Amino acid sequence: MEWGALLLSVAVLGVVGLLVHQNASWWAPWQQASRRHLDRAIERATERVASWGKETNYALLYMIADIASLSGDQRLRRIVDDFQSDPSLTPEFFWHRLFDTDAVVTPPTRQQLDGLSDYAGWLSFALAPGEVELTAAECAAMFAPDRFSWGSRTHQLLAVMIYRDRVDGSPAVQQLIDHLCVGIAREARWDVRVTDLYVQRLAFILAAGRPDLVRRRWVERVIACQKPSGGWVANWCGWGPRIMQFRLRPMSPNSHTTIQALWLLSMLKYRYPAWIDEHCEPHRFDN
């Protein structure tokens, strides 16, 4: 019984230690989110993304376009331009609407919508609500405040956020976005694994306009996990984004995690400089 109590105490202390490590910026060696560290992380990540060149994931291209707009980096702009000028895509290709709000596109048919994930269907509706028809159940799911309890909130948030920016900036839509952001930030407080989802949470909260919910410690940990090549891997110590996903194998930096991390850091630098002023203390970091 005594051994059982001891093991339980060690386990509890271990969990507490991980949560403190996740949320507190008390120790100088971990205080990495200075302008200098941020600039270096952004440049290394930009070089990495530019070295990959082509990107075909539409959501990632949307992020790259926003980063290029914020930074003016022509290496990233070229990736988006190359996609848009791809001769294999017709001018009416639907996802051109992600980059050009006035693009004349061919909306997906009902049959095509049925073959898409919930998230892709919602995103289609957000880009062209007058041309893409969702069922009543699909609309209800898209705007349901508590449909998800873990992980997938981020996908819902991205769709609703684009709907807000392109279609409806009403208080009701903003209230839903705030509710989703608070739920995602709550997940971030408890999830100590710096996985693809960890990075995605912070990037999407910032994209939604809630930098007040992002803790400095979380950004520090993202920067600390950047690989020497400039990219990020999807897992952390074998743990994948899903709660019970674990596979201990070497992983290389991938575009999905790296582009999201670059988007996160670029938004902090260019869109939310006040966050940097508030959270990064030059007298501690810039040695």
Side-chain angles (χ1 to χ4, degrees):
M1 190 67 178
E2 292 179 358
W3 278 106
L6 179 60
L7 290 173
L8 179 61
S9 299
V10 170
V12 169
L13 287 174
V15 170
V16 171
L18 284 172
L19 291 175
V20 171
H21 177 66
Q22 159 68 355
N23 293 289
S25 298
W26 294 345
W27 301 285
W30 294 103
Q31 295 169 346
Q32 310 244 352
S34 67
R35 286 179 176 83
R36 184 163 54 97
H37 287 91
L38 191 67
D39 290 345
R40 186 168 59 191
I42 288 172
E43 178 54 31
R44 290 168 60 205
T46 300
E47 290 177 354
R48 182 61 171 166
V49 172
S51 73
W52 283 319
K54 187 175 182 180
E55 179 56 58
T56 58
N57 182 297
Y58 313 137
L60 295 181
L61 283 161
Y62 171 81
M63 298 175 198
I64 292 173
D66 192 43
I67 299 166
S69 176
L70 289 169
S71 66
D73 196 299
Q74 292 305 305
R75 294 170 294 179
L76 301 179
R77 184 69 250 176
R78 197 172 300 116
I79 294 173
V80 180
D81 290 343
D82 288 347
F83 169 78
Q84 291 184 274
S85 61
D86 187 337
S88 68
L89 303 177
T90 65
E92 296 79 23
F93 180 63
F94 180 75
W95 296 105
H96 285 316
R97 187 65 68 83
L98 267 173
F99 318 105
D100 180 1
T101 58
D102 298 321
V104 178
V105 298
T106 301
T109 64
R110 181 66 253 179
Q111 184 178 7
Q112 289 171 327
L113 284 172
D114 289 340
L116 297 176
S117 65
D118 286 349
Y119 156 64
W122 298 338
L123 192 54
S124 301
F125 178 75
L127 293 172
E131 302 166 70
V132 175
E133 294 187 10
L134 297 185
T135 66
E138 289 169 336
C139 278
M142 176 176 174
F143 295 105
D146 298 305
R147 176 177 175 81
F148 301 107
S149 59
W150 188 270
S152 295
R153 277 195 188 104
T154 52
H155 286 172
Q156 182 186 12
L157 174 61
L158 181 63
V160 176
M161 153 178 102
I162 291 177
Y163 179 81
R164 174 198 63 187
D165 296 341
R166 303 283 182 93
V167 182
D168 181 4
S170 67
V173 173
Q174 184 59 51
Q175 184 177 13
L176 173 59
I177 287 173
D178 290 337
H179 177 79
L180 294 173
C181 285
V182 169
I184 292 169
R186 188 181 305 118
E187 291 178 27
R189 286 198 294 271
W190 291 98
D191 194 354
V192 303
R193 307 160 308 148
V194 187
T195 63
D196 182 86
L197 177 58
Y198 187 104
V199 175
Q200 185 176 102
R201 288 189 185 110
L202 308 189
F204 285 20
I205 288 173
L206 288 177
R210 292 300 306 270
D212 55 298
L213 295 174
V214 174
R215 296 187 179 184
R216 183 182 73 180
R217 178 61 182 150
W218 302 344
V219 177
E220 290 173 352
R221 295 197 67 205
V222 170
I223 293 176
C225 284
Q226 187 178 30
K227 300 302 180 183
S229 65
W232 280 262
V233 298
N235 73 349
W236 180 78
C237 299
W239 290 102
R242 293 192 296 274
I243 294 179
M244 299 307 295
Q245 183 179 355
F246 182 83
R247 188 173 181 181
L248 195 56
R249 64 173 182 176
M251 294 190 70
S252 300
N254 68 89
S255 62
H256 196 272
T257 311
T258 300
I259 291 169
Q260 290 184 132
L262 178 56
W263 194 31
L264 155 66
L265 300 180
S266 297
M267 283 189 285
L268 287 178
K269 178 176 180 177
Y270 297 107
R271 188 165 287 153
Y272 302 113
W275 187 96
I276 302 295
D277 293 337
E278 179 182 355
H279 293 85
C280 299
E281 305 168 56
H283 68 279
R284 291 189 181 183
F285 304 138
D286 297 341
N287 295 322

